[in-house]
Amino acid sequence: MENGKSVFEKLIKDDRAVHEQKTWRGSFLEYLERVREDPTLPKLAHSRVYDIIMRMGTTDLHDTDDPRVKRLYKDESIKSYGFFREEFFGIEKTISQIVRYFHAASLKGEESRQVLYLMGPVGSGKSSLVEKLQRGLESSDPFYAIEGCPMFEEPLHLLPRHLRKEFEKMLGTHIEGDLCPVCRFRLKDEFGGRYEEVPIVSKNFSKRNRVGIGVVPPVDPNNQDTSVLIGSEDISKLDLYSEGDPRVLDLNGALNVGNRGIVEFIEVFKNETEYLHAMITATQEKVIPAPGGHGLVYVDAVIAAHSNEAEWQKFRADHTNEAILDRIVVVKVPYNLRLSEEVKIYQKIIRNSDFRAHVAPHTLEVASMFAILSRLEPNNKCDLMTKLKLYNGEEVVEKGKTKKIDVQELREDTKREGMNGISTRFIMKALDNALSDNIDGNCINPINVRESLIAMVKEADIADDTRKAHLEFLQDTLHKEYLDVLRKEITKGFVYAYSEQAEALFQNYLDHAEAFVNKTRVKDRNTREELQPDEAFLKSIEEQIAIIGSAAEGFRQEVIAYLWALSRRGERITYKSYEPLKEAIEKKLTESVRELSRIITTARTRDEEQTTKYNAMVRNLLDNGYCESCVDVVLKYAANNLWKD
């Protein structure tokens, strides 16, 4: 117990020491010396947030080793920001727009006087993005403020106007803003105008303590009170002071407490238009009216608002709102449309929750496919499943050739793709429901999650045509897609050292195809004997993807040319390097154990040899991430749905 107590005590004391080390209090003169040493201390709110974002660095998406990302973005210059990387997936362009806004605003451009407005469907991450910025402020270094100021304002506001130019030269920084009525009164009444003696303190941003972070929830339109934004007069003090005395002011509105940081407007357009004028004035003029007749108060804050698209469209349709619309930077926050990134979203949510059930392989992938299919717009260039794979940076093979469809053109053909569809919350509810139906097994798998999604779609309050489309995705499209996945999984279970055998087939094909193309002979790797290219073997691979007859020669030439180009660039060559050939090899392996798989997985009784092979297959599945519960479910599903032909 003593050891435990000392460990706890040490942790508490160490944390307190760090906090005390960052805590500072001194006179205004001492603060001026600090600014001279570091002219960035009095930075404005937009610049502060931009520096917080950039401090964690950036990487170019083209620098990744993932070939899917390279195919997806090609010549586009897209950066990944470390500040957002671990929490947000598949919305790189949205994040780039947000960072661009803060960059421009930090340079004191027009964006510094405009509202950052995030617009998108429910559950797309709008509020999470703002919360991330707020947490960034909370974890940043303390800022300096006039002690006792209700708005935590910049101490340089104490300097009189006629001296500011001279001080700017000495300090190497720009001074912007004016004292609030409370500090102006205190300077005269408490300090007799001796601003150099005014105490300055360090402050930490805190959402809970309402320091530098203000939040404005939607207000009842029948009872809107601007005191939520700009504070009020404390009527209890009117007995002590006159109505015009600044000491009666209670500057505790969201725009007051959010000074120096961020003010968030939740579902902003649910407020009446008149209520929004204070928000626009705060960002455009950098001032807000003080309660009562106390003039204007300078504010320096990032105004971040968000709402769904329906509210935005309704607000934009009213031409009387043009003045407000002109002062808003709109950033769309659509649903993610990349399969690999959607899976990461659910992995993150599960990781941060108390969800401790086993998740069978491909479960999150199947659920993610449904979510993304619901968000895509139809296109006559390809079906939705093909589009999903292309958006994920995958190569889609059809009749032995990779489909040549430009992803950028697909995106340009759509108007609102990603702005509606199934939300992440809907999928997480389905995962929870699937688990509640399998408490004993404590496992979720693609089969019970798909059943859960079907039940939820049938009960959902949605249009009949939307329900019909969603059920078709679940009962037909995803059913077929999962059977293909399952077929490969069982093949891998039966084929010992699957990757090694696939690689051996690939190398053998490469030797014979290269000899065929170059009209040379093949040297046997073991006997060193020179042989004619084995066309029967080549055809057995190629016919798996419908390459037959005269098309075979062209295919072999394409394979050799493509892989030769990869080797020139120094890339590693494997059986996965050329998608059509990869698919052919995998189908060849599947075909080689097809009959064995069919007999053993569907048999009610097995002989000794079949039992041995079945048990080996089960062990391989367990080694590949399945648990005993989901192996049983998956193999029963395979027995009922695979090998029917």
Side-chain angles (χ1 to χ4, degrees), residues 43 73 98 122 136 161 344 358 374 403 437 452 574 619:
K43 66 181 70 170
Y73 292 108
I98 292 172
V122 59
R161 287 274 175 180
K344 290 178 185 177
H358 176 255
S374 74
K403 289 184 78 71
D437 292 337
S452 174
T574 71
R619 283 195 301 273

Side-chain angles (χ1 to χ4, degrees), residues 55-87:
R55 195 173 296 144
M56 295 187 66
T58 65
T59 56
D60 194 307
L61 286 181
H62 290 283
D63 294 337
T64 180
D65 293 329
D66 190 343
R68 294 178 303 177
V69 174
K70 292 180 178 180
R71 280 194 293 266
L72 193 59
Y73 292 108
K74 292 183 181 177
D75 299 327
E76 292 183 82
S77 179
I78 303 289
K79 291 187 180 298
S80 171
Y81 294 88
F83 180 77
F84 297 100
R85 191 175 298 135
E86 299 301 318
E87 297 184 46

Side-chain angles (χ1 to χ4, degrees), residues 487-488 490-498 501-502 505 537 540-541 543-544 583-600 613 643:
R487 189 179 288 109
K488 291 177 183 178
I490 292 176
T491 299
K492 289 179 181 179
F494 276 112
V495 176
Y496 176 75
Y498 179 88
Q501 291 206 32
L505 268 179
F537 166 71
S540 72
I541 301 289
E543 66 187 11
Q544 301 296 328
E583 183 170 324
I585 287 171
E586 289 181 342
K587 285 186 174 181
K588 176 68 175 176
L589 283 173
T590 301
E591 191 64 28
S592 68
V593 296
R594 175 184 173 84
E595 190 61 20
L596 175 66
S597 301
R598 186 186 67 79
I599 293 171
I600 292 180
K613 290 180 177 179
W643 328 121

